[in-house]
Amino acid sequence: VTGVQTCALPIFSPKPTITDPQSSTVLVHDKSKGEKCTIHTPYFLVVSRLEIYKRIDLAIQAFKLLQQSKDMEGYSLVIVGTGSQTKQLRRLAGHDPKIIFMAEVTDRDLAMLYRDAVALVMPQKEDFGYTACEAMACGCPVVCFALGGQTEIVENGLHGQHFHQQTPSAIAKSLVQTSKLRYNRDSYENSHIRRWGRDTFVAAFTKKIPQTV
């Protein structure tokens, strides 16, 4: 559900209308189950392959820490994706109804999930971090690890929050900070996102070829 296959939708389509993530209700269709899921609460979002190196376990553990705070009791965690760690992550989540797994959603629903999320959570170190581009193109703040390519996309304090330790407590702290802030989601202009778009890459690559021949 991530990467090149879906990035073209939010990056090159008109910017969606931004709603208040604290009060929206989202209806999403999970294609893999043929089911519709309605999310009534504000939620944090993970969009990723469910593999070990993606460290989605940290996002789940961080969310469990959040639930110990009365201020964060009304939040949910939505995890979109599939992978070899699906069973292990579901086991880690337990039977918590506020941790919602979605195996496969449409591009349209994914854009809606980004649009209405409190923030996208990226616990992993990425070489690039396309999901950060997707999220920001839909006006969604990003909470990400302060190492890796995603830090070139997400400016700390403007587009979201960086955490400097890959620990549940560090992630939880950043999520709390993000939930208390009101980001200017309309400031995530396409001009910033397009720096990592297909057309920009092709133009730069084409310009570079004669210099190396």
Side-chain angles (χ1 to χ4, degrees):
V1 296
T2 62
V4 175
Q5 293 180 348
T6 60
C7 68
L9 172 76
I11 292 179
F12 298 105
S13 297
K15 191 177 182 66
T17 302
I18 305 303
T19 59
D20 181 358
Q22 305 297 326
S23 61
S24 58
T25 296
V26 183
L27 177 64
V28 180
H29 181 243
D30 188 335
K31 294 193 297 181
S32 68
K33 298 179 181 178
E35 297 176 352
K36 290 185 177 180
C37 177
T38 304
I39 308 168
H40 296 287
T41 63
Y43 61 91
F44 297 102
L45 178 65
V46 171
V47 179
S48 175
R49 292 186 301 277
L50 305 187
E51 303 297 342
I52 292 177
Y53 73 97
K54 293 292 187 178
R55 300 310 314 270
I56 309 305
D57 57 314
L58 294 178
I60 294 174
Q61 291 167 351
F63 182 73
K64 286 180 174 291
L65 288 178
L66 288 185
Q67 291 178 302
Q68 297 176 14
S69 169
K70 289 186 177 180
D71 294 338
M72 306 300 292
E73 286 180 348
Y75 287 78
S76 296
L77 175 66
V78 177
I79 301 173
V80 179
T82 60
S84 64
Q85 296 299 299
T86 299
K87 289 183 179 180
Q88 292 88 333
L89 293 172
R90 285 182 176 273
R91 190 178 304 119
L92 178 62
H95 299 288
D96 190 339
K98 292 184 178 179
I99 301 179
I100 303 167
F101 286 85
M102 296 182 184
E104 186 180 4
V105 299
T106 64
D107 285 347
R108 188 182 188 88
D109 281 353
L110 179 59
M112 183 168 59
L113 283 168
Y114 281 133
R115 180 197 68 188
D116 290 338
V118 176
L120 174 73
V121 187
M122 299 182 67
Q124 72 277 20
K125 178 182 178 181
E126 290 282 7
D127 292 333
F128 179 58
Y130 236 114
T131 52
C133 282
E134 290 183 342
M136 289 168 55
C138 294
C140 177
V142 180
V143 174
C144 64
F145 186 35
L147 290 176
Q150 64 268 25
T151 59
E152 298 181 19
I153 302 168
V154 181
E155 185 174 339
N156 192 34
L158 179 62
H159 304 129
Q161 297 285 327
H162 294 176
F163 54 88
H164 295 271
Q165 294 178 311
Q166 268 184 313
T167 63
S169 59
I171 297 172
K173 182 177 179 180
S174 291
L175 293 179
V176 170
Q177 291 174 342
T178 302
S179 70
K180 292 181 178 179
L181 297 173
R182 288 293 181 269
Y183 292 92
N184 180 10
R185 291 174 172 232
D186 289 324
S187 70
Y188 302 168
E189 296 295 339
N190 279 342
S191 59
H192 175 74
I193 305 301
R194 286 182 186 276
R195 292 170 56 191
W196 295 276
R198 184 184 297 107
D199 292 345
T200 302
F201 172 79
V202 171
F205 189 74
T206 304
K207 182 179 179 180
K208 206 73 175 174
I209 289 177
Q211 301 175 10
T212 57
V213 173

